[in-house]
Amino acid sequence: MHSSLHSSSQQGPSEQGSSHRSDISQQISAVPLREYKGGLLIAVKATLVRDLTLLLRRRGEVLNPLVFFALVITLFPIAISPDPELLAVIAPGLLWVAALLAALLSLDSLFRSDYDDGSLEQLLLAPQPLAALSLAKVAVHWLLTGLPLALMAPILGIMLALPAGSYGVLALSLALGTASLSLIGAIGAALTVGLARGGVLLSLLVLPLYIPVLIFGAGAVQAAILGDGVGAHLAILGALLAASLMLAPWAIAASLRISING
Amino acid sequence: MWAFIHKLGSPKWFYGISAKLQPWFWVAAALLIVTGSLWGLAFAPADYQQGNSFRIIYVHVPAAFLAQSIFIAMAVSGLVFMVWKIKVADMAAAVMAPLGAAMTFVALFSGAVWGVPTWGTWWMWDARLTSMLILLFLYLGVIALRGAFTSRDSASRAASVLAMVGVINIPIIKYSVNWWYTLHQPASFTLTSRPAMPTEMWLPLVMMVLGFYSFFIALTLMRTRSEILRREANKRWVQDLVKDQVEEAR
């Protein structure tokens, strides 16, 4: 709901912006581009610093997913039952689903403001590979969404009477899992950034792809409660992260190109 | 080889060759499905455990086969479109998606109907049912994404990327759902533990599977042809074709 309001209010200026942007890109294409050798790390670092600065100045956007996470967790005892024994059984799943939805909610703004003000086009024009630069953007997204969610989850776990001994695994599985979620979700965000109302579509595209992460993330916490080994679950979460680190940046880059040209 | 691929990429050439291929696949589909279903539904022996209810298999299994194959075919078409810019591949991918979603739904629905006599319930969070349901959502995502773009070229490329991302994820989803299922629910029933199917039960099933595949190919050819006519409506050869047909009708 937040995203649709945001995008509809932005529609006017973005139309103006696009005609303005095409002027600029024509001017730029007339200037011969210089290839910087070894400029990749500098560009990645510059993207990291820029995105971190921008997001830290819009604290509301960073805080919203966290508040959403806490709110959704509050709804469940009210809707189901305040009984601690029952809550303890369903807590791992609830925490994971709520964190996943909170991460999903923050995805729409991942490329949105850059798309609206034209800086995404500048990233595309940069001589450095777009995949690396978008990886930097996703890393910032995880740092300011996934990691805070993972750190906050144990507090909400106490409120849901999560059995002792599983708090560390909860935070660790969320930290590992949300990194994959950010990477996979960024593909959907990149595909829908050019659409005026991409918010609901984004969740339709991304949620089915989130299921493996959810299974092993919630499974790790369940295993920790039952006293089983959590190593296997965390290892598979790590494997999913490694696979998405390898493949997702290319899909994100291709999707951004589609969204900009379309 | 390359000349052949580029020929295949020309909508006009494809329109001609598909007109010749199409009837064969329709005939094969009709023959196989009619014989297969008559044999399977009326003449094959009843299952000693499930009685006559097992006959749902003759619809359920071919539909489930197609549901998965069509997604792979769609992703391959998407790859061909993205790499070689062959437009016919994208047209085929566009017309395959609704059929794939329909087949997934048929597989889910027939599975649910089958569940009533065998498991005593319409829905179980069985590993295969769950991964089929996720496959249906993946199909709906691809269809919705294609519909959301105003520019056709962007829509085609976005749908191709999503189909490829989806096809990489399908095995991962399948294995993780299997793991989830074995961890959470002990198998209270097994469909696979009964003795291997006798030939009279198995042959009609093979016929039905082949028949469904022929039907899929024939329908895809037919719908790709209409898609070609729609997308190439302002090309000279399509306008000539229409003019000829109008004159013939007079």
Side-chain angles (χ1 to χ4, degrees), chain A:
Chain A
M1 58 205 162
H2 169 257
S3 58
S4 67
L5 276 177
H6 176 73
S7 55
S8 60
S9 65
Q10 288 281 331
Q11 238 172 6
S14 76
E15 275 166 19
Q16 285 176 3
S18 65
S19 62
H20 183 58
R21 280 206 300 268
S22 62
D23 292 349
I24 293 178
S25 58
Q26 274 169 8
Q27 283 171 17
I28 287 177
S29 61
V31 180
L33 286 171
R34 248 191 311 166
E35 285 268 357
Y36 289 96
K37 280 193 176 164
L40 180 60
L41 277 181
I42 300 170
V44 168
K45 201 182 147 203
T47 317
L48 279 174
V49 171
R50 170 184 172 273
D51 276 27
L52 267 176
T53 317
L54 275 178
L55 266 179
L56 287 175
R57 286 188 187 155
R58 278 177 295 182
R59 292 210 183 87
E61 246 174 70
V62 179
L63 285 176
N64 278 345
L66 298 176
V67 177
F68 176 83
F69 186 30
L71 255 172
V72 171
I73 289 299
T74 315
L75 295 181
F76 283 106
I78 294 171
I80 299 171
S81 145
D83 175 23
E85 277 177 27
L86 178 66
L87 285 177
V89 176
I90 54 174
L94 289 188
L95 287 162
W96 249 94
V97 170
L100 185 146
L101 291 177
L104 180 71
L105 189 76
S106 66
L107 273 178
D108 193 51
S109 60
L110 180 54
F111 299 115
R112 178 74 61 196
S113 65
D114 284 352
Y115 179 82
D116 286 342
D117 67 16
S119 39
L120 205 55
E121 287 195 353
Q122 301 310 314
L123 277 189
L124 258 75
L125 289 171
Q128 285 80 14
L130 182 58
L133 300 180
S134 46
L135 189 61
K137 294 185 81 67
V138 176
V140 171
H141 178 259
W142 175 75
L143 263 180
L144 293 180
T145 313
L147 197 59
L149 285 173
L151 295 176
M152 197 177 148
I155 303 169
L156 297 171
I158 297 174
M159 292 162 74
L160 288 181
L162 192 72
S166 58
Y167 289 86
V169 176
L170 173 69
L172 191 60
S173 70
L174 271 173
L176 265 177
T178 47
S180 315
L181 297 187
S182 291
L183 280 163
I184 300 167
I187 303 173
L191 281 172
T192 53
V193 71
L195 305 170
R197 277 162 195 76
V200 183
L201 182 63
L202 173 63
S203 45
L204 179 61
L205 303 186
V206 162
L207 278 178
L209 304 176
Y210 275 4
I211 285 168
V213 179
L214 177 66
I215 287 173
F216 292 106
V221 187
Q222 295 268 18
I225 292 174
L226 296 174
D228 298 345
V230 293
H233 287 91
L234 291 179
I236 290 182
L237 278 180
L240 288 174
L241 175 59
S244 38
L245 259 177
M246 207 165 56
L247 298 174
W250 309 107
I252 298 169
S255 311
L256 284 177
R257 291 219 162 79
I258 294 166
S259 288
I260 291 288
N261 295 336

Side-chain angles (χ1 to χ4, degrees), chain A residues 184 187 191-192 195 201 204-205 208-209 211-212 215-216 219 222 232-233 236 240 247 251 254-255 257-259 261-262, chain B residues 82 134 137-138 140-142 144-145 148-149 151 154 157-158 161-162 165-166 168-169 172-173 176-177 179-180 183-184:
Chain A
I184 300 167
I187 303 173
L191 281 172
T192 53
L195 305 170
L201 182 63
L204 179 61
L205 303 186
L209 304 176
I211 285 168
I215 287 173
F216 292 106
Q222 295 268 18
H233 287 91
I236 290 182
L240 288 174
L247 298 174
S255 311
R257 291 219 162 79
I258 294 166
S259 288
N261 295 336
Chain B
M82 291 292 274
I134 298 167
F137 291 137
L138 285 174
L140 295 181
V142 173
L145 185 67
F149 281 86
S151 139
S154 306
R157 291 193 294 155
V161 168
L162 188 65
V165 170
I168 293 172
N169 271 280
I172 301 176
I173 292 173
S176 47
V177 168
W179 180 325
W180 159 78
L183 274 185
H184 283 244

